[in-house]
Coordinates of all heavy atoms in Angstrom, one line a residue:
K1 N 98.1 120.1 115.3 CA 96.8 119.7 115.4 C 96.0 121.1 115.4 O 96.5 122.1 115.9 CB 96.4 119.0 116.7 CG 97.0 117.6 116.7 CD 96.7 116.9 118.0 CE 97.4 115.6 118.1 NZ 97.2 115.0 119.4
I2 N 94.9 121.2 114.8 CA 94.1 122.4 114.7 C 93.7 122.9 116.0 O 93.2 122.2 116.8 CB 92.9 122.2 113.8 CG1 93.3 121.8 112.4 CG2 92.0 123.5 113.7 CD1 92.2 121.5 111.5
G3 N 94.1 124.2 116.3 CA 93.7 124.8 117.6 C 94.6 124.5 118.7 O 94.4 124.9 119.9
T4 N 95.6 123.7 118.5 CA 96.6 123.4 119.6 C 98.0 123.8 119.1 O 98.3 124.1 118.0 CB 96.6 122.0 120.0 OG1 97.0 121.2 119.0 CG2 95.2 121.5 120.4
K5 N 99.0 123.6 120.0 CA 100.4 123.7 119.7 C 101.1 122.3 119.8 O 102.4 122.3 119.9 CB 101.1 124.7 120.7 CG 100.6 126.1 120.4 CD 101.5 127.1 121.2 CE 100.9 128.5 120.9 NZ 101.9 129.5 121.3
D6 N 100.3 121.2 119.7 CA 100.9 119.9 119.7 C 101.1 119.4 118.3 O 100.2 119.4 117.5 CB 99.8 119.0 120.4 CG 99.6 119.3 121.8 OD1 100.6 119.8 122.5 OD2 98.5 119.0 122.3
P7 N 102.4 119.1 118.0 CA 102.7 118.6 116.7 C 102.1 117.3 116.4 O 101.9 116.5 117.3 CB 104.3 118.5 116.7 CG 104.7 119.4 117.8 CD 103.6 119.4 118.8
I8 N 101.7 117.1 115.2 CA 101.2 115.7 114.8 C 102.3 114.8 114.4 O 103.0 115.1 113.5 CB 100.2 115.9 113.6 CG1 99.0 116.8 113.9 CG2 99.6 114.5 113.2 CD1 98.1 117.2 112.7
A9 N 102.3 113.7 115.1 CA 103.2 112.6 114.7 C 102.7 111.8 113.6 O 101.5 111.6 113.4 CB 103.5 111.7 116.0
L10 N 103.6 111.4 112.7 CA 103.2 110.6 111.5 C 103.0 109.2 112.1 O 103.7 108.7 112.9 CB 104.3 110.6 110.5 CG 104.6 112.0 109.8 CD1 105.7 112.0 109.0 CD2 103.3 112.4 109.1
T11 N 102.0 108.5 111.5 CA 101.8 107.1 111.9 C 102.8 106.1 111.2 O 103.4 106.5 110.2 CB 100.3 106.7 111.5 OG1 100.2 106.7 110.0 CG2 99.3 107.6 112.1
D12 N 102.9 104.9 111.7 CA 103.8 104.0 111.1 C 103.4 103.7 109.6 O 104.2 103.4 108.8 CB 103.8 102.7 111.9 CG 104.5 102.8 113.3 OD1 105.3 103.8 113.4 OD2 104.1 102.0 114.2
T13 N 102.0 103.7 109.3 CA 101.7 103.4 108.0 C 102.0 104.4 107.0 O 102.4 104.2 105.9 CB 100.1 103.1 107.8 OG1 99.5 104.3 108.5 CG2 99.7 101.9 108.7
E14 N 102.0 105.7 107.5 CA 102.4 106.9 106.6 C 103.9 106.8 106.3 O 104.3 107.0 105.2 CB 102.1 108.2 107.3 CG 100.6 108.4 107.4 CD 100.3 109.6 108.2 OE1 101.0 109.9 109.2 OE2 99.2 110.3 108.0
I15 N 104.7 106.5 107.3 CA 106.1 106.4 107.1 C 106.5 105.1 106.2 O 107.3 105.3 105.3 CB 106.9 106.1 108.5 CG1 106.7 107.4 109.4 CG2 108.3 105.7 108.3 CD1 107.4 108.6 108.8
L16 N 105.7 104.1 106.4 CA 105.9 102.9 105.6 C 105.6 103.2 104.1 O 106.3 102.8 103.1 CB 105.1 101.7 106.0 CG 105.2 100.4 105.3 CD1 106.7 99.9 105.3 CD2 104.3 99.3 105.8
A17 N 104.5 104.0 103.9 CA 104.1 104.3 102.5 C 105.1 105.2 101.9 O 105.5 105.0 100.7 CB 102.7 105.0 102.6
I18 N 105.7 106.2 102.6 CA 106.8 107.0 102.1 C 107.9 106.2 101.7 O 108.6 106.4 100.6 CB 107.0 108.2 103.0 CG1 105.9 109.1 103.2 CG2 108.3 109.0 102.5 CD1 106.0 110.1 104.2
R19 N 108.4 105.3 102.6 CA 109.6 104.5 102.3 C 109.3 103.6 101.1 O 110.2 103.3 100.3 CB 109.9 103.6 103.6 CG 110.4 104.5 104.7 CD 111.2 103.7 105.7 NE 111.5 104.4 106.9 CZ 112.6 105.2 107.0 NH1 113.5 105.3 106.0 NH2 112.8 105.9 108.2
Q20 N 108.1 103.1 100.9 CA 107.8 102.2 99.8 C 107.8 103.1 98.5 O 108.2 102.6 97.5 CB 106.5 101.6 99.9 CG 106.5 100.4 100.9 CD 105.0 99.8 101.2 OE1 104.0 100.5 100.8 NE2 105.0 98.7 101.8
L21 N 107.3 104.3 98.6 CA 107.4 105.2 97.4 C 108.8 105.5 97.0 O 109.1 105.5 95.8 CB 106.7 106.5 97.8 CG 106.6 107.5 96.7 CD1 105.9 107.1 95.5 CD2 106.1 108.9 97.3
E22 N 109.7 105.7 98.0 CA 111.1 105.8 97.7 C 111.7 104.6 97.0 O 112.4 104.8 96.0 CB 111.8 106.0 99.0 CG 112.4 107.4 99.3 CD 113.2 107.5 100.6 OE1 113.1 106.7 101.5 OE2 114.0 108.4 100.7
T23 N 111.4 103.5 97.5 CA 111.9 102.2 96.9 C 111.4 102.1 95.5 O 112.2 101.8 94.6 CB 111.5 101.0 97.7 OG1 111.9 101.3 99.1 CG2 112.1 99.7 97.2
I24 N 110.1 102.2 95.2 CA 109.5 102.1 93.9 C 110.1 103.1 92.9 O 110.4 102.7 91.8 CB 108.0 102.2 94.0 CG1 107.4 101.0 94.7 CG2 107.3 102.3 92.6 CD1 105.9 101.1 95.1
K25 N 110.2 104.3 93.3 CA 110.7 105.3 92.4 C 112.2 105.1 92.1 O 112.6 105.3 91.0 CB 110.6 106.7 93.1 CG 109.2 107.3 93.1 CD 108.6 107.4 91.7 CE 107.3 108.0 91.8 NZ 106.7 108.2 90.4
Q26 N 113.0 104.6 93.1 CA 114.4 104.3 92.8 C 114.5 103.1 91.9 O 115.3 103.1 91.0 CB 115.1 104.0 94.2 CG 116.6 103.9 94.0 CD 117.1 105.2 93.5 OE1 116.9 106.2 94.1 NE2 118.0 105.2 92.5
L27 N 113.6 102.1 91.9 CA 113.6 101.0 91.0 C 113.3 101.5 89.6 O 113.8 101.0 88.6 CB 112.6 99.9 91.5 CG 113.0 99.1 92.7 CD1 111.8 98.2 93.1 CD2 114.2 98.3 92.5
E28 N 112.3 102.4 89.5 CA 112.0 103.0 88.2 C 113.2 103.7 87.6 O 113.5 103.6 86.4 CB 110.8 103.9 88.3 CG 109.5 103.4 88.5 CD 108.4 104.3 88.7 OE1 108.7 105.5 88.6 OE2 107.2 103.9 88.9
V29 N 113.9 104.5 88.4 CA 115.1 105.2 87.9 C 116.2 104.2 87.5 O 116.8 104.4 86.5 CB 115.6 106.2 89.0 CG1 117.1 106.7 88.7 CG2 114.7 107.3 89.2
D30 N 116.5 103.1 88.3 CA 117.4 102.1 88.0 C 117.0 101.3 86.7 O 118.0 100.9 86.0 CB 117.5 101.1 89.2 CG 118.2 101.8 90.4 OD1 118.8 102.9 90.3 OD2 118.0 101.2 91.5
A31 N 115.7 101.2 86.5 CA 115.4 100.5 85.2 C 115.8 101.3 83.9 O 116.1 100.7 82.9 CB 113.9 100.3 85.2
F32 N 115.9 102.6 84.1 CA 116.2 103.4 82.9 C 117.8 103.6 82.8 O 118.2 104.1 81.7 CB 115.6 104.8 83.0 CG 114.2 104.8 82.6 CD1 113.2 104.9 83.5 CD2 113.9 104.7 81.2 CE1 111.8 104.9 83.1 CE2 112.5 104.7 80.8 CZ 111.5 104.8 81.8
K33 N 118.6 103.1 83.7 CA 120.0 103.1 83.6 C 120.5 102.1 82.5 O 121.5 102.3 81.9 CB 120.7 102.8 84.9 CG 120.5 103.9 85.9 CD 121.3 103.6 87.1 CE 121.0 104.6 88.2 NZ 121.6 104.2 89.5

């Protein structure tokens, strides 16, 4: 966080979005196999 030494935790929605991106990209790669 700006001005502190406290690390910012990621929210559940951010983690879910990254996991969905992983899944979608893997499906795209699998489609080209």
